[in-house]
Every structure is written in C-alpha cells, then in structure tokens.
C-alpha cells in the first residue's frame, strides 16, 4: 500500500481530520480541526517527513493548508473538500491532489463567510509566512480559551 492509500484509508476508517503517511506507514494523525494538525505535524517532524512517498489526507484543505502541505514536503494529497485556491497552489507546486468535492472557497464553521485561514492566506505566496500567520492565529485562539 502506498502512502496516499494508507493516509486516505486511515482518515476514512479512523474518524480523523488529518493523516500523514510516509513509506506506506501512517506517521501522524489528528482529530483536531482547521490547520492546527498541519502546524503540529510540521512542528513535530519539520521536513523530515518530506519525500517522494509522503502523503496527506485531510477532511478540508483550503489555500492556507495547501501552503502548509508544501512546507511539510507532501508529494500527494487527498481531501474530502478542497478549495479552488488550494488546488491551484498544489498544482503550482507539483503536488498530486485528489478530492471528493471542490468548492470555490472554504467557509467558516457558521457558514456566514470565508474561513479565517482562507482570509489570512490571501496574498501569501511563501509557505513560511503562512506558517507564521497560522501560528499567530492559533495562539490568539488559545488565549481566548
């Protein structure tokens, strides 16, 4: 089984929100929402998981998550839902991507507007800059809790 198949199967069967696999083996799972799992995975592994057989399966991938996937060194990706901006970002980076549903943009949880991370990713081209913005956003959420 290749890494993309392992990640996708684990996502579906394990009720996870995010799964990363390398060398056909799952190396990271999360049930947290948003980009937090991607930030956590990057902080845990850096680009150590980067490689030809590194794959990500996630419930929702917006443009911010696509930039973080690039930073992580992901080579293949599956999303239940992906935004058009994310797909463009992944195509530009040469990352193989598949999905169940493509949407114009990821909406916020209330469905009243854009997801905050979609908003934060506007105009951002550098994955490192996106990581810094995501970490700042997550720190703000932690302070509110």
């Amino acid at each position: 089984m290749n890494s993309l198949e392992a990640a996708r199967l684990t996502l579906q069967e394990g009720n996870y929100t995010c799964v990363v696999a390398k060398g056909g083996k799952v190396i990271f799972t999360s049930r947290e929402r948003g980009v937090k799992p991607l930030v956590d995975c990057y902080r845990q592994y850096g680009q150590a998981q980067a490689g030809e057989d590194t794959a990500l399966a996630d419930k929702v991938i917006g443009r911010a998550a696509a930039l973080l996937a690039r930073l992580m060194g992901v080579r293949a990706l599956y999303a239940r839902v992906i935004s058009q901006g994310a797909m463009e970002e992944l195509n530009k980076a040469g990352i193989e991507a598949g999905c169940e549903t493509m949407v114009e943009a990821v909406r916020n949880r209330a469905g009243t507007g854009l997801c905050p991370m979609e908003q934060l990713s506007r105009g951002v081209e550098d994955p490192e800059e996106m990581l810094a913005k995501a970490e700042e956003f997550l720190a703000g959420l932690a302070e509110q809790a």
Side-chain angles (χ1 to χ4, degrees):
M1 177 179 310
N2 71 29
S3 293
L4 187 58
E5 291 168 346
R8 185 177 175 170
L9 188 63
T10 302
L11 180 80
Q12 292 171 338
E13 292 181 352
N15 198 31
Y16 294 105
T17 57
C18 178
V19 178
V20 177
K22 179 179 174 82
K25 306 254 189 256
V26 172
I27 62 167
F28 179 87
T29 60
S30 179
R31 289 191 171 96
E32 301 223 37
R33 294 163 65 166
V35 297
K36 186 174 186 323
L38 298 176
V39 171
D40 290 347
C41 184
Y42 182 74
R43 286 296 168 218
Q44 184 174 349
Y45 293 102
Q47 286 192 320
Q49 79 274 8
E52 225 164 279
D53 195 29
T54 301
L56 165 67
D58 203 295
K59 285 178 73 174
V60 179
I61 295 286
R63 189 168 180 279
L67 285 163
L68 294 174
R70 277 182 50 198
L71 184 63
M72 292 167 56
V74 167
R75 297 291 174 245
L77 180 146
Y78 162 80
R80 289 192 184 142
V81 176
I82 195 167
S83 73
Q84 290 174 353
M87 190 62 91
E88 290 167 10
E89 197 60 47
L90 296 167
N91 287 337
K92 188 168 56 175
I95 298 171
E96 172 192 337
C99 67
E100 289 178 24
T101 305
M102 187 179 301
V103 295
E104 185 176 332
V106 177
R107 312 274 302 158
N108 62 26
R109 292 184 184 140
T112 58
L114 286 180
C115 161
M117 294 311 297
E118 286 280 81
Q119 292 175 8
L120 279 176
S121 74
R122 285 187 170 168
V124 176
E125 296 297 326
D126 177 27
E128 291 278 352
E129 181 184 349
M130 189 68 250
L131 176 65
K133 286 180 175 254
E135 288 179 324
E136 185 179 321
F137 177 81
L138 293 170
L141 288 179
E143 287 176 10
Q144 293 174 11

